[in-house]
Amino acid sequence: MEDAGFIIGSYVLTFVMVIGMSWGVVRRGRRLGAQIPDEDKYWT
């Protein structure tokens, strides 16, 4: 149990980093999607 803080902290840090990177990718995608004209958006 001496390393429990390190292990839990590692999991929390990993979770926060994955969420942060996912949020950045979605934000960049929305920004790029706004630059494309509507007639070129085949997915809509």
Side-chain angles (χ1 to χ4, degrees):
M1 291 303 290
E2 293 177 7
D3 295 329
F6 176 75
I7 294 170
I8 293 170
S10 297
Y11 273 105
V12 169
L13 182 62
T14 301
F15 182 73
V16 168
M17 291 301 294
V18 168
I19 294 295
M21 290 176 67
S22 300
W23 180 71
V25 168
V26 169
R27 205 177 83 178
R28 254 181 280 139
R30 287 184 179 171
R31 192 179 325 145
L32 289 173
Q35 297 175 358
I36 299 173
D38 285 337
E39 59 270 4
D40 291 338
K41 294 179 184 175
Y42 61 88
W43 59 87
T44 57

